[in-house]
Amino acid sequence: MTAETIFVGTELLLGNIVNTNAAYLAEQMAVMGFPMFYQTTVGDNAERLEGCIRQALDRSDLVILSGGLGPTQDDITKETAAKVMGKELLLNEDAKKQIEAYFAKKGKTMAENNLKQAMMPKDSMMLENTNGTAPGVIMEQDGKILVLLPGPPEELNLMFERSVVPYLQSKVSQVIYSAMVKVCGMSESDVAQQLDDLIRSAGDVTVAPYAKIGEVHLRVTAKAEDEKQAKKLVKPVIKDIKARLGDAVYTTHEEISLEQSVVDLLLANNLTVTTVESCTGGLLAGRLINVPGVSEIFKMGHITYSNKAKRKIVGVKRKTLEKYGAVSGQVVKEMVGGVLQITRADVAVSVSGVAGPDGGTPEKPVGLVYIACSVCGTVTVQECHFSGTRRKIRESAVAAALVLMRRCIMAYCSKVTFGENK
């Protein structure tokens, strides 16, 4: 069954909104084993949208649309899709009740135009929206499937996972099972080289790498008669990947992020942590604080952006700044030393760099970042070189700091386990 996606909204064409739905749905189609050859973005124009839907249905078995299901006049997706499928729109009482309940829960009066969202194509399947007001729709005709989803990602993602995935699974004879292996501290090319035979394999199990900032994610997928058999096929491949990549694999659970893996290490070993940041401006602390339960071990975060702040807050020596500059291994080492004096944490991390686009020199170019990590008195300093925009450099620095934290904590815990720190 071939799939295709259509994204509706003039704001997408103008670049006012980043189309994260495209990446999400593409990945989901790959996970479920549906080949996808086309993605289309179209504005809020009924004639052009109709042409896109007809063309998609001519060449694909499954067409998924997102956006344009709201209450306003320019929300035309459902009306246009129903016209293409030759179905009239009828008031769906269940949809009406859900929309009314949504507004009642919010303590708001529902405007009458919201009932437009309760109009459903005849003989279609309504998909409940628990995060918003616009229900989704599934229509089938002549062996073709049309799925309409709301535009907001938090609504689309949940609706897809709860309603669309089970529906699509019922349409295929084989079960598709997918697992995730997340890797840090290795480049995509290094991972690909280590796993070349697995990635190239055309057997029952596929391994697909996805590059992220500071990470590589590996999607391991298998098709089988039932989920038990599919899991059985995937298990030895994951074991092989872990054996080849070693400690670079930080999780085999899709919901675990790099920062959560670091926080889990800290919690498991009863280690407190503090941060002191310059070029990243609190992004590192922010990622750690995003993890539930971090309050048990996160003591304090400092942003010492100026040289004066580095001196006054965490005690970096004036002579060190004058001799080596703010972006140096010596300064980040003194930054962690100073913040440890303040917080008495077990683990401290500091970051200082040139994020650009200005400020670089031949000796210290844009993208140069130094990171220091202290774990129970042992300090490790790392020099990094990143490229890209200011935002990408800062995000890359945060990812590298998390990787360094993880590596240093694991090294410390290994020494404690084998009695080297006794």
Side-chain angles (χ1 to χ4, degrees), residues 178-204:
S178 180
M180 178 69 76
V181 179
K182 296 185 179 182
V183 180
C184 68
M186 293 182 70
S187 68
E188 184 183 18
S189 59
D190 287 339
V191 171
Q193 184 174 6
Q194 292 277 1
L195 307 178
D196 181 67
D197 58 318
L198 297 179
I199 294 170
R200 290 177 178 271
S201 173
D204 294 329

Side-chain angles (χ1 to χ4, degrees), residues 156-342:
L156 180 145
N157 294 3
L158 188 60
M159 186 181 293
F160 185 87
E161 289 160 17
R162 286 186 175 179
S163 301
V164 181
V165 169
Y167 167 82
L168 292 177
Q169 286 176 338
S170 71
K171 296 293 180 180
V172 294
S173 58
Q174 286 186 307
V175 169
I176 300 169
Y177 174 76
S178 180
M180 178 69 76
V181 179
K182 296 185 179 182
V183 180
C184 68
M186 293 182 70
S187 68
E188 184 183 18
S189 59
D190 287 339
V191 171
Q193 184 174 6
Q194 292 277 1
L195 307 178
D196 181 67
D197 58 318
L198 297 179
I199 294 170
R200 290 177 178 271
S201 173
D204 294 329
V205 182
T206 61
V207 178
Y210 302 91
K212 309 285 183 178
I213 293 180
E215 305 179 46
V216 179
H217 294 181
L218 298 161
R219 176 75 65 182
V220 185
T221 305
K223 291 182 181 180
E225 293 181 1
D226 54 47
E227 186 172 312
K228 184 179 179 180
Q229 182 62 28
K231 285 182 177 180
K232 189 175 180 181
L233 292 171
V234 165
K235 188 175 180 180
V237 176
I238 291 178
K239 185 177 180 180
D240 189 7
I241 292 172
K242 291 172 72 174
R244 297 190 198 191
L245 302 184
D247 288 340
V249 174
Y250 72 84
T251 187
T252 55
H253 298 281
E254 187 151 11
E255 70 277 8
I256 301 295
S257 64
L258 178 57
E259 54 266 34
Q260 182 166 341
S261 73
V262 172
V263 170
D264 287 346
L265 269 176
L266 292 164
L267 288 167
N269 293 282
N270 197 29
L271 297 171
T272 56
V273 65
T274 188
T275 59
V276 53
E277 305 174 62
S278 184
C279 66
T280 48
L283 290 178
L284 174 59
R287 280 188 64 171
L288 290 170
I289 291 170
N290 274 339
V291 180
V294 74
S295 57
E296 293 185 30
I297 46 91
F298 188 87
K299 282 201 165 186
M300 194 179 296
H302 294 75
I303 301 173
T304 57
Y305 201 73
S306 66
N307 283 357
K308 184 177 181 181
K310 290 178 179 66
R311 289 190 291 106
K312 297 294 184 181
I313 297 175
V314 291
V316 175
K317 298 182 181 67
R318 185 189 296 271
K319 289 183 178 179
T320 305
L321 287 164
E322 291 174 349
K323 183 175 182 180
Y324 300 104
V327 181
S328 63
Q330 292 80 2
V331 165
V332 291
K333 189 173 183 179
E334 289 191 13
M335 286 168 71
V336 292
V339 81
L340 285 171
Q341 290 293 319
I342 298 169

Side-chain angles (χ1 to χ4, degrees), residues 6 14 50 72 172 263 318 398:
I6 300 175
L14 295 175
E50 181 181 341
T72 64
V172 294
V263 170
R318 185 189 296 271
V398 171

Side-chain angles (χ1 to χ4, degrees), residues 126-148:
M126 185 198 74
L127 306 179
E128 183 182 1
N129 187 344
T130 55
N131 276 351
T133 58
V137 183
I138 294 178
M139 290 181 272
E140 292 185 35
Q141 189 166 283
D142 301 327
K144 302 287 187 174
I145 300 171
L146 205 59
V147 179
L148 313 184

Side-chain angles (χ1 to χ4, degrees), residues 363-374:
E363 294 78 22
K364 295 185 179 182
V366 170
L368 174 65
V369 176
Y370 286 92
I371 305 167
C373 180
S374 173

